[in-house]
Amino acid sequence: MDQETLNTLMTLVVLPLLVGVSGFAVAWLRKKTQEINENIKNATAKKYIDMAGEAVTKAVQTTFQTYVDTLKAQGKFDKEAQLAALQKSKDTAIALITDEAKKAISEAYGDFDKWLAATIEALVREDKKTSLAAVEEKQTQIATTAATAAASVAATVAQTAAAQVAAEAETARPLESGAE
């Protein structure tokens, strides 16, 4: 092959092939870079959302311990007190959640305030379910204890009665023997 044929071959075949391959390589690298950036954004957002969820949980628990339990014990936990408890939980949660977390939640869910209200309501609902389950379990324990105690008393009464019958039978035998 002469120099002119090699130049023509390079110009017509190899250079377009290199341009096509390099274009593909650049597009692939861009896509991979975008995927990595998305994963980083998602991991960061997840971290902030998890932190915010923990803050809301703490806020709800604090409100229950310092406000709700007291009012329930006094029999004063009405609708107005429930709304006040919700507001106290919101205020505490907002104070605990960082601005970065609020931004991440807004980007992920659209509206931070709606996310916060829904999260608080879900925690309260879960607490109610847990409380009801605890009450039911306690009632079952009380019923089981009462049944066990009643069975024990019945067994003791039965043993005592059997012992008395046996003793009476023993004392009655000598009299019967003498009468014969």
Side-chain angles (χ1 to χ4, degrees):
M1 274 199 218
D2 64 359
Q3 188 63 29
E4 191 176 313
T5 306
L6 283 175
N7 286 341
T8 305
L9 185 61
M10 288 292 278
T11 305
L12 294 176
V13 177
V14 175
L15 285 175
L17 186 61
L18 283 175
V19 169
V21 169
S22 66
F24 175 76
V26 167
W28 182 81
L29 285 173
R30 282 185 182 153
K31 183 177 181 192
K32 285 298 175 187
T33 302
Q34 183 180 10
E35 287 175 8
I36 290 169
N37 286 336
E38 286 297 318
N39 287 339
I40 290 170
K41 286 179 186 174
N42 289 341
T44 302
K46 183 182 180 334
K47 177 184 86 169
Y48 284 130
I49 291 168
D50 288 346
M51 288 170 40
E54 290 174 21
V56 173
T57 300
K58 287 177 185 175
V60 169
Q61 289 171 342
T62 300
T63 302
F64 265 82
Q65 290 174 352
T66 61
Y67 182 73
V68 174
D69 289 344
T70 304
L71 290 178
K72 281 186 176 181
Q74 297 171 354
K76 297 179 181 178
F77 194 65
D78 57 6
K79 185 70 175 172
E80 186 177 308
Q82 290 174 10
L83 293 173
L86 175 63
Q87 191 59 49
K88 284 179 182 290
S89 292
K90 282 182 179 181
D91 293 343
T92 303
I94 288 169
L96 293 172
I97 298 171
T98 65
D99 290 337
E100 292 86 4
K102 291 173 187 171
K103 182 180 176 189
I105 290 167
S106 293
E107 289 174 4
Y109 294 99
D111 186 331
F112 173 78
D113 292 328
K114 287 181 182 177
W115 173 86
L116 180 59
T119 302
I120 290 171
E121 290 294 332
L123 288 170
V124 169
R125 237 186 339 271
E126 187 62 34
D127 185 65
K128 284 180 183 177
K129 287 180 186 177
T130 304
S131 296
L132 289 174
V135 166
E136 289 173 0
E137 182 178 337
K138 188 66 173 174
Q139 288 172 341
T140 301
Q141 288 174 347
I142 290 169
T144 302
T145 302
T148 302
S152 176
V153 168
T156 302
V157 168
Q159 287 175 344
T160 304
Q164 284 177 342
V165 168
E168 288 175 7
E170 283 296 318
T171 56
R173 278 191 192 146
L175 294 176
E176 289 175 7
S177 303
E180 287 178 21

